[in-house]
Amino acid sequence: MIRRLPALLLLLAASGALHAQPAQPLTMERIMADPDWIGPPVEQAWWSWDGTRIYYPLKREGSRVRDLYVQDIGGGQAQRLDGAARADADAADPVLDPQRTRMAFVRNGDVFVRDLRSGALTQLTRSEADEASPRWGSDGALVWRSGHDWFRWSAQGGTVAHAAAPKAEDDPAKPPKPDLLREDQLRLVETLREERARREAAREQEAQWRRADPTRAPAPVYLGKDVEIAATSLSPDGRWLLAVTERKQDERGQAGKMPKYVTESGYEEFEDVRTRVGRNLPRAQTLWLVDMRDGTPRELDIAGLPGISDDPLAALREAAEKEPLKGARAVRVEDDAEGIRWNADASIAALMLHSVDNKDRWLVTLDPAAARLQSRHRLSDEAWINWAYNEFGWLPDQRTLWFMSEDSGYAHLYTLDAARGGRARALTSGRWEVSQPALSPDGARFHFTCNRARPGDYELCTVPVDGGEVRELTALGGVEGFAVSPDGSRIALRHSSSYVPPQLAVLDADGGQPRTLTDTRKAEYRDYDFLQPETVQVPSTHGAGTIWGKYYGPKTMEPGRTYPVVLFVHGAGYLQNVSDRYPNYFREQMFHNLLVQRGYIVLDLDFRASEGYGRDWRTAIYRRMGEPELQDYLDGIDWLVQHRQADRDRVGIYGGSYGGFMAFMALFREPGTFKAGAALRPVADWTQYNHAYTSNILNTPDIDPEAYRRSSPIEFADGLQDHLLIAHGMIDDNVFYRDSVVLAQRLIELRKDKWELASYPLERHAYQQSDSWYDQYRRILELFERTLK
């Protein structure tokens, strides 16, 4: 590991990160104002074709528009591109051809190719359709899709050809179902027989001409009228089409209706919203291989996948007196088309498949000539396969696959021989995680973000594709993302710190000290001396090891004084907030500064279920949401009492979304421990949440009702005895406002007092209006001032 450098001293000093105490009071009006007053973060960055400039978008003040800027890496003022100047810009996520002479990218929904030798830019499409997924073949041809149709271009031919047209329709040439009446008519009426023969002969002649004439578009691929097309992928040589379909008849579940009361029309309106968990099981998907020379789909057999016929939930299904599963479990392709990768010569395709119950993930290869799938790696988890860390692709030899896996309990990089199989080879290992892996342009090494020093310290790392030493190229602590220049000599970095939103820097590919190119913060924001959070380690008394946290408190504690405590709970469950990066909860962080000014101490924990700590930490909440996390916060209180002069009798807790759910669990399950809590946009009943998230952690209500009873706050509402604020946006289409309404009715029926419900008619899950932010946090502050002081 390289020695930690005093990088970003200028930015950190300007941000107040070297100060321990705010020099001037923060106000609620300033904290909850539109974040334009802070300055826009650099959300994304990418290189120009020649590696001399970096492009990045910035949000325009008072607008949703994002302007495009270009920055010379030598320094100087960034230029905003307007009008015709935008026409020659490169775009994010370019793909290089195998010879590294051209790169392709999609800009404004159209496909462009840049010649890396001359810089010449060729626009291949100009339409209202959105093109996507450009991929190069070993012969220098480029394929891409528009919807599920595919197109192909090569520099030699220079023309764009329509290469595949899959349709969810029956083939017009498909013989009709047997029918005695039809057969009688054809037997008795010669004219009908002759007309049918002429029609079929003309159709066959047209098909022959189409196959023989290279100037003609391909014949449609008919997949049947009873299916919907979920994804397609064309091999780079244009010969093979992989199609993924779902049966229309499979139930999608009953959608909800969300009322909207404050509308432009002046009338009540209703919006269709998602279905509930267990009522819209993901549709099983079927894989089809089409040889484009004849256009005939051929179903691929998944029965050979190891463990596909096992039922990980058999015991729960039996206990719930449900029918056992029969045959193979249903599968889906990872992230639809993104779960399919052809190698450059189209000899092999790799697919990432998940069981619908998300207990298994298979990396498989397809030999198109034999139309045969073969499992190369299986990842199983009795809880659930992670939503993240499923990236995979091909090394330059086009025979070796690389992929991410939590096999070791932490997310790491692996390679394997796609043709011969065998054991996967680990390129990285340890009690830390790889994220955002990307091959260097020459294919010689991987770059990725890593948290080797501690879970919240993110650096840019690199490792050779053949294995070897993992090197940290930065010593910033808050690396957000990166992009390597087309020639591989430099790296564009986005980095941040506690009070500095993501900024742009440039780094030599071999490492060294990066040069920061932007500071987008406004002068007023820079002038604040914010309180730098202290990263702390709370020992678990429940066998969890270390719970990492951020502590906010006065620089000097008054001897003999005890302090009221506010505990903050981050949202999403699987999210990391205790890191050196600029937090998702930047408003809350400033609010914590204000609380310290008013005499509180604050602790923010990465409780069990949080991201960045490996598989066991992630799945600790399986079938018991709210229990391990609450234990971690109880340990946090003990630590504060022992080490930070906390008053155990004056503890409050708050958070939004998952954090709101946890505020409920804290007050309902530990009455008297928490004197006050604020539950913002909270889940009250997990049976009302979505399938994709909830079924992973709690299975489904029909086969695992106990997990839902154990995990839903509404089941424990009788425990409320302390002060509770519920705040919820009324048009929240993620956690429905209905959750808070039904819980309110439950509290009414239980005759509970000391609670209130604040409703925000124009807010969804992520609040947008500064007035709503202000009103919500005014109520939180007043709650704590009233109950904890």
Side-chain angles (χ1 to χ4, degrees), residues 216-236:
R216 298 285 302 276
V221 173
Y222 295 103
L223 298 169
K225 64 179 177 60
D226 297 325
V227 304
E228 292 179 358
I229 301 174
T232 57
S233 182
L234 184 70
S235 63

Side-chain angles (χ1 to χ4, degrees), residues 102 113 122 124 136 139-144 151-161 236:
R102 295 182 176 88
V113 170
T122 303
L124 302 186
W136 292 100
D139 60 356
L142 180 73
V143 297
W144 67 90
F151 298 84
R152 194 165 185 265
W153 171 90
S154 67
Q156 292 74 24
T159 59
V160 173

Side-chain angles (χ1 to χ4, degrees), residues 317-374:
R317 213 179 301 276
E318 181 179 4
E321 298 181 348
K322 298 293 181 182
E323 287 289 325
L325 288 185
K326 298 176 181 178
R329 282 177 286 161
V331 301
R332 292 179 62 84
V333 176
E334 163 73 19
D335 198 19
D336 293 333
E338 296 308 308
I340 303 173
R341 298 277 190 274
W342 288 95
N343 66 351
D345 64 12
S347 60
I348 315 174
L351 298 87
M352 184 77 79
L353 304 179
H354 286 244
S355 58
V356 165
D357 58 27
N358 209 22
K359 307 289 187 183
D360 278 282
R361 186 196 79 178
W362 296 270
L363 182 59
V364 305
T365 55
L366 167 68
D367 174 359
R372 184 168 61 95
L373 294 173
Q374 187 165 354

Side-chain angles (χ1 to χ4, degrees), residues 30-31 33-40 499 501 520-523 525-526 582 586-587 590:
R30 177 41 74 209
I31 294 171
D34 188 302
D36 279 353
W37 82 275
I38 296 172
Y499 296 98
T520 59
R521 296 170 299 158
K522 299 289 184 64
Y525 178 77
R526 284 200 307 267
Y582 187 67
F586 60 92
R587 291 185 184 89
M590 291 186 286

Side-chain angles (χ1 to χ4, degrees), residues 276-521:
R276 272 71 164 175
V277 58
R279 300 182 181 275
N280 62 324
L281 297 178
R283 287 176 165 181
Q285 292 184 335
T286 302
L287 308 176
W288 303 89
L289 178 66
V290 183
D291 187 336
M292 293 304 298
R293 295 179 303 183
D294 59 28
T296 303
R298 182 175 176 182
E299 184 176 350
L300 297 174
D301 185 10
I302 64 166
L305 296 177
I308 188 64
S309 296
D310 299 339
D311 181 9
L313 298 173
L316 287 173
R317 213 179 301 276
E318 181 179 4
E321 298 181 348
K322 298 293 181 182
E323 287 289 325
L325 288 185
K326 298 176 181 178
R329 282 177 286 161
V331 301
R332 292 179 62 84
V333 176
E334 163 73 19
D335 198 19
D336 293 333
E338 296 308 308
I340 303 173
R341 298 277 190 274
W342 288 95
N343 66 351
D345 64 12
S347 60
I348 315 174
L351 298 87
M352 184 77 79
L353 304 179
H354 286 244
S355 58
V356 165
D357 58 27
N358 209 22
K359 307 289 187 183
D360 278 282
R361 186 196 79 178
W362 296 270
L363 182 59
V364 305
T365 55
L366 167 68
D367 174 359
R372 184 168 61 95
L373 294 173
Q374 187 165 354
S375 177
R376 298 302 183 187
H377 181 268
R378 178 190 179 192
L379 178 66
S380 295
D381 199 307
E382 64 181 11
W384 72 94
I385 302 296
N386 202 342
W387 300 287
Y389 310 129
N390 292 305
E391 299 97 322
F392 71 104
W394 293 97
L395 293 186
D397 65 7
Q398 304 301 319
R399 295 295 180 271
T400 306
L401 279 168
W402 66 266
F403 65 99
M404 293 281 291
S405 177
E406 282 186 328
D407 256 343
S408 69
Y410 291 83
H412 283 293
L413 267 172
Y414 297 81
T415 61
L416 61 80
D417 189 313
R420 291 183 299 218
R423 290 181 59 85
R425 177 186 185 188
L427 299 184
T428 61
S429 62
R431 296 173 63 84
W432 53 277
E433 296 192 313
V434 169
S435 51
Q436 306 181 67
L439 267 174
S440 60
D442 63 2
R445 58 195 317 104
F446 284 99
H447 294 95
F448 50 90
T449 47
C450 61
N451 57 350
R452 297 203 305 168
R454 57 181 171 81
D457 180 341
Y458 284 90
E459 306 296 350
L460 178 65
C461 280
T462 185
V463 68
V465 297
D466 295 327
E469 179 190 5
V470 175
R471 293 178 53 225
E472 291 185 12
L473 300 179
T474 61
L476 298 172
V479 172
E480 299 267 359
F482 63 93
V484 183
S485 63
D487 66 0
S489 65
R490 296 182 180 89
I491 300 172
L493 283 175
R494 291 188 308 109
H495 63 92
S496 66
S497 59
S498 292
Y499 296 98
V500 179
Q503 303 297 327
L504 179 63
V506 64
L507 175 74
D508 288 340
D510 290 332
Q513 190 159 2
R515 289 185 296 110
T516 297
L517 300 176
T518 65
D519 184 357
T520 59
R521 296 170 299 158

